[in-house]
Amino acid sequence: MATSEYRGVGLNGGEFISDTSSHSGRWFSIVAMEDTTVTSISGNIENISDLTTGGSSPLTISANTALYGAFDEITLATGSVIAYNR
């Protein structure tokens, strides 16, 4: 399946995530809809897992913050995100 050049505007769809279950997919962007704390995340960004530790505690992603890359898994502790399909 060819990737649409319109994925940058969300036309390939995505997934709204607002629970604490682990979610798997093939996403190019994750956007926080509200202040969000991430329990785990995996993707092609070096050291992205540091987002979940933030030293002694997980970091909060502020509302309307977008992360870009190739993401495969995310689990939230609080908040909600939209994960946009690649």
Side-chain angles (χ1 to χ4, degrees):
M1 175 182 199
T3 300
S4 168
E5 66 272 17
Y6 296 109
R7 70 178 182 260
V9 292
L11 294 179
N12 284 346
E15 180 179 356
F16 176 72
I17 300 169
S18 62
D19 59 33
T20 58
S21 298
S22 177
H23 293 265
S24 297
R26 291 179 39 82
W27 308 301
F28 84 95
S29 178
I30 295 174
V31 179
M33 303 309 296
E34 58 188 300
D35 290 352
T36 300
T37 303
V38 178
T39 302
S40 68
I41 189 169
S42 66
N44 69 344
I45 298 174
E46 189 172 327
N47 300 321
I48 190 69
S49 63
D50 289 353
L51 180 68
T52 63
T53 58
S56 61
S57 63
L59 297 173
T60 297
I61 303 170
S62 298
N64 300 314
T65 299
L67 303 175
Y68 296 99
F71 301 100
D72 303 312
E73 182 275 333
I74 189 168
T75 304
L76 307 180
T78 63
S80 61
V81 300
I82 295 179
Y84 290 98
N85 294 334
R86 287 188 242 166

